[in-house]
């Protein structure tokens, strides 16, 4: 079964990682940033070695996001970020092919144990099965 494992964050978190802390997210130093990357890379190496890795990516800051909708005539309506009303966004993800929900939950727990500076927000790691067949009325 394939699963999407999602890490959440905020614009304040991205700014904190480059040293610009705020009341919502304390500034990271280079050692803390390296520890986070080492932790994530170790997870990537483990799931790759076990044949579970399909894809994994970290995403650019929310301030680079673009929302695209269409108006009544089908013309695009584009809004660029950042979005003050958005608290958490997708910060990165893994697509994993795991034998069970229990196994992917183990991996998500490893992700959740990622080292962060004291006082950092606690964002959940979200696991969702990938529906490769789509909804059915049968």
């Amino acid at each position: 079964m394939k699963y999407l494992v999602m890490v959440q964050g905020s614009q304040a978190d991205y700014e904190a990682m480059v040293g610009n802390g705020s009341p919502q997210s304390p500034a990271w130093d280079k050692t803390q940033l390296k520890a986070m990357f080492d932790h994530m890379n170790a997870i990537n190496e483990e799931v790759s070695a076990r044949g579970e890795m399909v894809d994994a990516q970290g995403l650019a800051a929310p301030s680079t996001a673009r929302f695209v909708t269409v108006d009544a005539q089908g013309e695009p309506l584009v809004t660029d970020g950042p979005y003050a009303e958005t608290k958490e966004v997708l910060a990165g993800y893994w697509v994993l092919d795991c034998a069970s929900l229990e196994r992917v939950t183990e991996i998500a727990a490893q992700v959740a144990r990622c080292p962060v500076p004291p006082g950092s927000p606690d964002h959940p790691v979200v696991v969702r099965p990938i529906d490769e067949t789509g909804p059915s009325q049968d």
Side-chain angles (χ1 to χ4, degrees), residues 31-95:
T31 302
Q32 292 164 325
L33 194 60
K34 182 180 181 322
M36 183 269 296
F37 281 117
D38 289 347
H39 181 85
M40 295 302 185
N41 286 332
I43 293 170
N44 290 345
E45 290 172 11
E46 176 191 337
V47 295
S48 291
R50 291 177 61 120
E52 297 168 323
M53 174 76 81
V54 176
D55 187 28
Q57 299 293 326
L59 302 178
S63 61
T64 65
R66 174 173 273 194
F67 283 85
V68 180
T69 58
V70 293
D71 64 19
Q73 291 73 42
E75 295 298 315
L77 296 172
V78 179
T79 307
D80 292 326
Y83 309 99
E85 68 279 3
T86 302
K87 291 185 179 186
E88 294 179 352
V89 296
L90 182 63
Y93 67 88
W94 287 263
V95 176

Side-chain angles (χ1 to χ4, degrees), residues 86-124:
T86 302
K87 291 185 179 186
E88 294 179 352
V89 296
L90 182 63
Y93 67 88
W94 287 263
V95 176
L96 302 174
D97 193 350
C98 295
S100 67
L101 180 59
E102 290 74 22
R103 172 62 185 141
V104 75
T105 301
E106 290 173 11
I107 297 166
Q110 286 179 272
V111 173
R113 287 192 286 273
C114 182
V116 297
S120 292
D122 185 23
H123 298 295

